[in-house]
Amino acid sequence: SCVHGGLGGKMLSLRVSRIRRAVRQFSSQSAIDYDSFITPLAKRRPPSAIRSLEPLMSIPGMISLGGGLPNPAAFPISGFTIKLKEGDPIELTPSQVVAALQYSSTRGYGELLEWLKRHQVETHSPKYTGWDTIVTVGSQDGLARAFDTLLDENSSLLLEDPTYSGALAPLRPLQCNLVPVATDGGGIIPSAMAQILDNWNSPKPKPRVLYTIPTGQNPSGATLNNARRTELYQIARKHNLLILEDDPYWYLQLDNKPGQDRIRSLFSMDSDGRVLRFDSFSKVLSSGLRMGWVTGPAPIIDKIQLSMQASILHNSTLSQIVTLALLNRWGTEGFQKHILSVQAFYRNRRDICVEYAEKHLKGLAEWTTPSAGMFLWLKLLGVEDSQELIQKRALEKKVLMVPGQAFSPLQRPSPFVRASYSTASPEHMNEAFLRLAQILKDK
């Protein structure tokens, strides 16, 4: 929250001091010149004069007439109760209610931010100290701000082909040079990326940033194995790339078995401070809460913070406190138990989807069974461009899927379509693939 005195204020001031020391230490140790990656637009953003007062407001004895906080006594809401599917309801404490209704730090609500940082340490074991975290309005908000910070019309970006259409939406107006990298059933092909970089002879700028969705990729469902992730990171080191690791399906890994080596994040491999990681609770808690967070080199997180200060100020404090209250109720063990139940839920839906694809589309389409995420990426045999088939003929049969061209960085024709198994009932999945099969047989 914005205003706390006494011990809480001292602790906040101590945390701010530690973060600043870590940033100075990291800046002096790192061989990466982050300033050379930052766009002129991002460099022109000044810190908010009002927001910069926040750490000072917590100093014991400080009398603040400087902020523009509305007085909570004028708010009509007095409490929040969260009903859970399992367990007793969670009632926010009076102090949580006051905080939830008020402005908060751009970085994120303090207790939640600390939880997320602990979670990153426990989950990814970062190899360097100069990283930081910021809470964003879903990971999409963080992505758009990172693009805006690192890319403009004088930049080139490496990205998978196909890639997330939601990332292309903020990228295209930036007019950066999109450089597609080939993929297969195992995700992005490191050797293909290395070949592009080793033989770069275009008059356009050589790429300095890679955008990748390494787990349950949207739309292909592909997941990079650890060997490819290691190779990708080594190529990034050789060519001094920053990596944007977009991982909203990290918690939807569907085929993990006891004793099996777990997939490692690129962030966990990063000893240089070149990976910016995007996480989200949208797939496992609620997409409507809009809870995402970005973790990576502190100098770049600082720039994302300035972008937020200039627009949304911060994520919803209510969303953050509701999320924190739920995580505190569960504890680490309860959160992990919930993740396992979500994985089992989507594993069952994935298996049903693949079963009906085998039943109706064998010989008409090809696919790789996804080991994470919520999508089946179908290559329609004998079809060069799925656009008309999906947007007209399938629509006439009342079947909605997404044609592959929507995910093409260069908007090229594609024989692929994306089918989601996240919300459709088994009966609807069966009927949808039956109708698609009829369309393909009649073409």
Side-chain angles (χ1 to χ4, degrees):
S1 58
C2 286
V3 184
H4 284 294
L7 180 60
K10 291 178 182 177
M11 291 177 66
L12 177 59
S13 297
L14 182 61
R15 286 199 297 268
V16 170
S17 298
R18 285 174 176 169
I19 289 170
R20 286 173 177 166
R21 283 199 302 271
V23 170
R24 287 195 295 270
Q25 177 188 13
F26 182 53
S27 297
S28 64
Q29 292 177 348
S30 175
I32 298 176
D33 177 14
Y34 294 108
D35 196 58
S36 69
F37 286 89
I38 306 300
T39 62
L41 173 64
K43 288 179 180 178
R44 289 195 294 268
R45 284 197 187 100
S48 165
I50 304 299
R51 298 250 112 195
S52 63
L53 297 177
E54 184 193 339
L56 304 177
M57 294 165 69
S58 63
I59 296 175
M62 180 67 70
I63 299 174
S64 174
L65 302 179
L69 303 180
N71 194 311
F75 297 157
I77 300 170
S78 63
F80 295 96
T81 301
I82 307 157
K83 293 184 178 180
L84 304 178
K85 291 180 177 177
E86 295 182 6
D88 295 332
I90 299 173
E91 184 147 1
L92 297 190
T93 66
S95 63
Q96 286 177 323
V97 172
V98 170
L101 296 174
Q102 189 57 274
Y103 291 123
S104 64
S105 168
T106 300
R107 292 268 173 171
Y109 182 68
E111 288 182 60
L112 177 65
L113 199 56
E114 292 300 320
W115 190 99
L116 293 173
K117 289 179 180 179
R118 288 196 305 272
H119 180 67
Q120 297 300 68
V121 170
E122 293 164 1
T123 305
H124 305 288
S125 303
K127 290 186 174 181
Y128 67 99
T129 58
W131 58 273
D132 206 348
T133 299
I134 190 167
V135 177
T136 54
V137 185
S139 58
Q140 177 80 18
D141 176 54
L143 273 178
R145 295 180 192 281
F147 293 154
D148 186 65
T149 297
L150 300 171
L151 301 165
D152 60 15
E153 65 274 10
N154 298 312
S155 308
S156 293
L157 173 70
L158 293 159
L159 72 175
E160 294 147 341
D161 187 6
T163 193
Y164 172 44
S165 58
L168 293 173
L171 280 171
R172 289 197 169 115
L174 296 177
Q175 296 185 311
C176 61
N177 177 38
L178 300 180
V179 183
V181 182
T183 62
D184 59 18
I188 191 170
I189 303 172
S191 60
M193 188 175 87
Q195 187 173 17
I196 290 171
L197 293 167
D198 290 339
N199 301 295
W200 188 263
N201 60 2
S202 169
K204 295 181 179 179
K206 184 178 178 180
R208 302 189 67 199
V209 181
L210 164 67
Y211 168 64
T212 180
I213 311 163
T215 311
Q217 203 252 12
N218 183 358
S220 71
T223 295
L224 281 177
N225 60 29
N226 285 333
R228 283 198 182 187
R229 289 172 191 244
T230 301
E231 188 177 355
L232 205 66
Y233 183 74
Q234 293 306 319
I235 295 168
R237 298 188 79 183
K238 176 181 177 181
H239 293 276
N240 194 27
L241 301 178
L242 296 183
I243 300 175
L244 306 183
E245 181 182 26
D246 184 13
D247 222 352
Y249 304 101
W250 172 260
Y251 298 113
L252 296 192
Q253 297 179 49
L254 307 180
D255 293 330
N256 291 330
K257 296 179 176 61
Q260 182 184 41
D261 287 342
R262 296 185 66 83
I263 290 293
R264 293 184 60 198
S265 67
L266 291 164
F267 178 60
S268 74
M269 300 176 177
D270 184 19
S271 55
D272 300 338
R274 64 178 68 254
V275 176
L276 201 61
R277 178 176 172 80
F278 302 82
D279 281 290
S280 174
F281 281 140
S282 290
K283 312 302 184 288
V284 294
L285 296 187
S286 161
S287 52
L289 284 174
R290 306 308 301 131
M291 280 301 309
W293 67 101
V294 186
T295 306
I300 299 180
I301 298 296
D302 287 344
K303 293 299 183 183
I304 292 175
Q305 175 180 257
L306 294 183
S307 174
M308 293 177 67
Q309 286 182 354
S311 55
I312 62 168
L313 300 184
H314 58 80
N315 191 350
S316 161
T317 319
L318 175 58
S319 287
Q320 294 183 72
I321 289 180
V322 166
T323 300
L324 177 67
L326 182 56
L327 294 171
N328 283 341
R329 165 66 67 85
W330 280 339
T332 301
E333 185 177 337
F335 176 67
Q336 294 300 331
K337 180 181 177 182
H338 173 70
I339 294 301
L340 290 174
S341 71
V342 173
Q343 290 173 343
F345 175 84
Y346 280 102
R347 184 183 307 117
N348 179 61
R349 300 187 69 80
R350 186 272 315 269
D351 292 346
I352 291 171
C353 183
V354 170
E355 177 187 341
Y356 287 132
E358 290 278 359
K359 178 180 177 181
H360 297 297
L361 297 175
K362 197 168 184 178
L364 299 172
E366 295 176 345
W367 60 89
T368 298
T369 299
S371 62
M374 46 176 68
F375 305 111
L376 188 64
W377 187 234
L378 299 164
K379 182 180 181 181
L380 307 184
L381 301 180
V383 175
E384 293 184 4
D385 185 3
S386 64
Q387 188 98 343
E388 187 270 343
L389 185 146
I390 294 299
Q391 292 190 338
K392 184 180 177 183
R393 294 164 62 192
L395 197 59
E396 290 171 352
K397 294 284 189 179
K398 295 186 177 180
V399 176
L400 290 179
M401 296 182 190
V402 187
Q405 185 172 327
F407 307 98
S408 169
L410 302 183
Q411 298 180 295
R412 292 169 175 159
S414 168
F416 287 88
V417 298
R418 191 193 76 177
S420 171
Y421 47 81
S422 59
T423 59
S425 68
E427 294 77 16
H428 283 168
M429 281 190 258
N430 180 52
E431 182 63 24
F433 285 150
L434 174 61
R435 294 179 189 180
L436 179 60
Q438 292 170 343
I439 294 168
L440 291 171
K441 290 173 181 177
D442 293 342
K443 68 178 175 55

